[in-house]
Amino acid sequence: MTELLVKNACVIDPLSGINGEVMDLAIRDGKIVEEVSDAAEVVDAHGMLTMPGGIDSHTHICGTKVNFGRYMSPEDMRAGRTPRRGAMHATSGYSVPTTYGNSYRYSVMGYTTLLEGAMAPLEARHTHEEFSYTPLQDTMANTLFDGNWGILEAIRDGDTKRVAAIIAWTLSAVKGFGVKLTNPGGTEAWQWGKNVTCIRDPVPYFEVTPAEIIRSVVEANELLHLPHSVHLHCNNLGTPGNYTCTLGSFGLIPDLNKKRQTLYATHVQFHAYGGSGWKDFCSKSEPIANFVNMRPQIVMDMGQVMFGRTTTMTADGPMEFNLYRLHHDKWSNHDVELETGSGIIPVVYRRKNLVNSIMWAIGLELALLTKSPWQCLLTTDNPNGAPFVKYPEIIALLMSKRYRDAEFATIHPDTGSRVPLPAIERELDWHEIAVMTRAGAARALGIQDLGKGHLAPGADADVAIYPLKIDEVDPSAEYQRVIDGFSRTEYTIKRGRVVARRGECLVDGSNATFWVAPKVSEAYDMGKDPDFIEKFDRYYTVRMRNYPVQDEYLTRSRCIETEADL
Amino acid sequence: MIVKDAVCPFCGCLCDDIEVEVEGNRVVAVTNACELGMTKFMGEKRLKNPILRVENEWKDITYDEAIRYAADMLLSAERPLLYGWSGTHGEAQCVGVHMAELIHGVIDNTSSVCHGPSILAIQEVGHPGCTLGVVKNRADLVIYWGSNPIDAHPRHLSRYTRYAEGFFLENAFRDRKVIVVDVRKTETANIADEFVQIKPGGDYAVLSALRAIVQGKTDTIPRTVAGVTREQLIRVANLCKSAKFGAVYFGLGLTMTQGKYKNIRNAIEFISELNRHTKFTISAMRGHYNVYGSNEVNTWMTGYPFGIDFSRGIAFYNPGETTAVDILARKECDAALIVGSDPAAHFPRKCLEHLAEIPVVQLDPYPNATTAFCNVQIPVAVTGIDAEGTAYRMDGVPIRTRRVLSTDYLSDEEVLSRMYALMQEEPRP
Ligand code: SF4
């Protein structure tokens, strides 16, 4: 039995309704409890800002394309190297750090749970292998279904239950967490070098539209009672005028779940563009935020862009090729048979560039114009908009109009006429930041009942203590203190153990992987479906028996079983 | 007993449909595998236990003694080299990286003498690729460039290209064209629809010519380029442009000839160009069944695919300086651990001369040419035969190999973990 008492913590825990109360947190065997014995180890938080461990609801940290991002970029590896020190292994990389690099840097920022945004089922084993070398966070992986042939055919046949059955079989087989649709239909079209422009174009050969894919997969997701909703990367990413496509996609979504949203729309910054080309490119954050404000069934994340170098990587292969034709640096692409694809290119977002400046503004606008912080979570779609180490700066920008204005003065001079940002006065408070970086993420992912994102008794003791006294810091004026405070915790506690202290990681965490196994009736068990098996054998290049990820790959396996309506 | 869907641990095709018949813990029959795979499953002569060279004799020693020897050798070395890794599973490769980091050593794998140039090219211009099944289901044009699958990857043609059934091809054999580009008429060239014979060292020029044609600059092309006629170049370029889905598979005939990584760079840029007209991909024919896995493991753990030098504490990478051949040729290295490879069969003489002078421990199931250079050889289980583990196919698809026999041999991972544990006990600065 191990006990820990965190004393004098100034707690913000939105899911428990605690907002800035100085209190003690008792921890036993990795869980928050009512009280501990006198023998408990004591950590004095000295009235510092204490929140549940950070949860990144959409990041790219592990798996095939992330690793290829490293593989093709020795220049990025050189940009961030640390030696082995104490319990810490050597790390490399800036925008795509090594697994240890990701894990340590997130931990030092107080993050304890990470969702890898895109895992191709066929290559899932790779993601899980890397997860086991990401020792300080719990992990989970959204699984790609955007170009899945079985699903496309079932949708063409109007059989939503079969769509659900294929998702159920696949998630269980690859130990995936949620359903990800990236440019639905577009990734399949890209395997012929084509794309879809928006939700009404038919996918070549399969003759279904993205709108049908989205609607059907959203319904199937709810039939399976998955903890998380469908996680959608809309069609037509990064194109001027694409906000209409985004609104069209949002408009397809009914409100199907009482506990959480029905759609999680990811990196919406990249989907909130106006104009008819790059010449009249402008922000359309207002119509997007207004739409979301009226639809409780939608949660989005920002996909904030920050200036500097980074690497873009996504399952949206055709988009990456188009971007490559603009930047002409280097380009990798990796299509995955019967399932999905991906692309990677390095980019530099420049202050002097008008388009980049507008992109920077749009992300902030989405967060500031969305009334409820529960509906707009803080991400950069790491590393697409920026590496996650930029989060503290983003927090400060959201909390300080003065900081935004100071930054605004350094960007392209024409930005002002294209974006509403300068007119937005809102400054978010500590509580809203806590929602956007942990509580809201936990609710959106459906993991609060599993003890994540809050500090009520029974919760996992994942705690971040920041060297910030919220009654002494005025975030509106002292934004540098906010940045410094969120960059390095005083303590990060993972499952009841102090894993990081003032920038040093002290021990390996006891990381776990969350995955979902929906229970379906015999008739919907795809493992026994003759047609499914036959197609698998004929067109995949691995045998069906060798496809599922074995238990050996999960250091600590947290399986979530659901009862499906099938 | 018949083990179905076993995974062949020989070449980068990583065929996972092998049936192995086992009787009395011996493999008696193998179905679906090619000749190379079959030989591997049927087994070769293995050492019974670790051996130590004393004077010019081999003496049997225990695993504990051998592991202690290796740990001490590495701990007392100033510039240890940990080389090989393509013939073992990912779990062992991970331990190897941790070990190299701990002792400030150099860890390198066999890609530094095979597809190292491909990796350098990818680091400059990227890599438009795909999994093998995408090619199988879609490709109506396949080009083998400087590679000869009939000899080196015998089932590549039947599982993924020439003879493979494809979802989008009615009659795959008829509807799919195969082009072979090589300096000599290989076995594979004999079954091609079009054979392009290039003069040795002419790949770069031919690729440039093809790029120019695809860009519409046909009138700049001379009558012949490196022995290939203008007419044939135009025909090939047109075949590429009019394909619905094309795939290039290149081998050491492109990476290790004149121009080296520049050839690959040119080839990748040719493919990027073709993607403006149609869909095309390009991929390396990786040799050993898990050489790609060792690149993957090294990359997620250190940031670099091969040739990683920890002597400064951080991971440092500079192929040509931090690669095994260079470190041996400069006589820098003062101890070597060889795992899952046979450098003595492939390295230049100068390197071998140095290898003969320093202490060397080899982990390998079989005695091979490198055995002659060893002080200690530790026999281990064969991944895919008597041990399980992860391997990455040439296209990056990870597969877990199956265990078909049970033996008392320790796996690479077990031996290395025990070595690493001993090394961790030593006080560190
Ligand atoms: S092609 Fe390669 S992997 Fe397949 S059976 Fe032959 S040697 Fe083994």
Side-chain angles (χ1 to χ4, degrees), chain B residues 8-15 18 32-38 152-156 159 289:
Chain B
C8 172
F10 190 87
C11 86
C13 285
L14 213 66
C15 303
I18 315 293
N32 286 348
C34 70
E35 198 76 33
L36 300 171
M38 174 111 76
H153 300 84
R155 295 184 70 212
H156 198 269
R159 274 173 65 89
Y289 78 93

Side-chain angles (χ1 to χ4, degrees), chain A residues 500-518:
Chain A
R501 170 101 216 258
R502 291 192 194 145
E504 269 311 290
C505 296
L506 305 169
V507 285
D508 263 0
S510 41
N511 55 315
T513 298
F514 288 75
W515 60 286
V516 181

Side-chain angles (χ1 to χ4, degrees), chain A residues 38-219:
Chain A
D38 292 344
E41 194 190 320
V42 175
V43 162
D44 192 342
H46 289 288
M48 290 188 275
L49 173 62
T50 301
M51 307 201 283
I55 299 175
D56 199 332
S57 58
H58 182 167
T59 179
H60 299 283
I61 44 154
C62 289
T64 330
K65 72 179 172 316
V66 176
N67 211 34
F68 211 82
R70 302 178 184 118
Y71 187 99
M72 66 187 263
S73 317
E75 67 283 5
D76 191 70
M77 294 305 119
R78 280 196 296 275
R81 295 191 291 206
T82 57
R84 194 180 73 88
R85 193 177 61 223
M88 294 163 80
H89 290 285
T91 74
S92 304
Y94 170 63
S95 65
V96 235
T98 52
T99 52
Y100 288 126
N102 278 322
S103 193
Y104 300 153
R105 289 172 211 176
Y106 261 122
S107 187
V108 164
M109 286 167 42
Y111 277 74
T112 51
T113 303
L114 305 174
L115 175 117
E116 162 56 49
M119 171 170 86
L122 178 65
E123 298 168 336
R125 210 169 270 103
H126 184 159
T127 306
H128 289 289
E129 277 206 281
E130 288 196 34
F131 278 171
S132 59
Y133 291 90
T134 307
L136 301 178
Q137 286 81 23
D138 290 330
T139 46
M140 50 194 93
N142 273 346
T143 309
L144 291 156
F145 290 99
D146 37 69
N148 187 296
W149 288 3
I151 286 180
L152 295 180
E153 285 180 345
I155 294 171
R156 184 174 56 196
D157 301 342
D159 189 348
T160 303
K161 286 195 163 177
R162 191 173 173 86
V163 172
I166 294 172
I167 292 173
W169 183 85
T170 310
L171 283 180
S172 304
V174 305
K175 302 199 160 46
F177 176 74
V179 173
K180 177 72 177 274
L181 293 177
T182 292
N183 185 3
T187 59
E188 165 57 30
W190 175 240
Q191 296 203 3
W192 292 123
K194 300 186 168 71
N195 198 357
V196 291
T197 59
C198 189
I199 56 174
R200 304 290 169 200
D201 292 359
V203 180
Y205 173 80
F206 293 96
E207 294 299 317
V208 297
T209 64
E212 290 166 327
I213 300 174
I214 295 168
R215 229 186 329 236
S216 171
V217 172
V218 161
E219 280 169 28

Side-chain angles (χ1 to χ4, degrees), chain A residues 67 330 335 337 538 553, chain B residues 123 131 136 279 296 390:
Chain A
N67 211 34
K330 50 184 167 185
D335 299 331
E337 63 209 55
R538 281 175 97 154
Y553 289 89
Chain B
Q123 291 176 337
T131 68
K136 162 185 146 104
K279 184 66 189 260
E296 292 274 5
T390 316

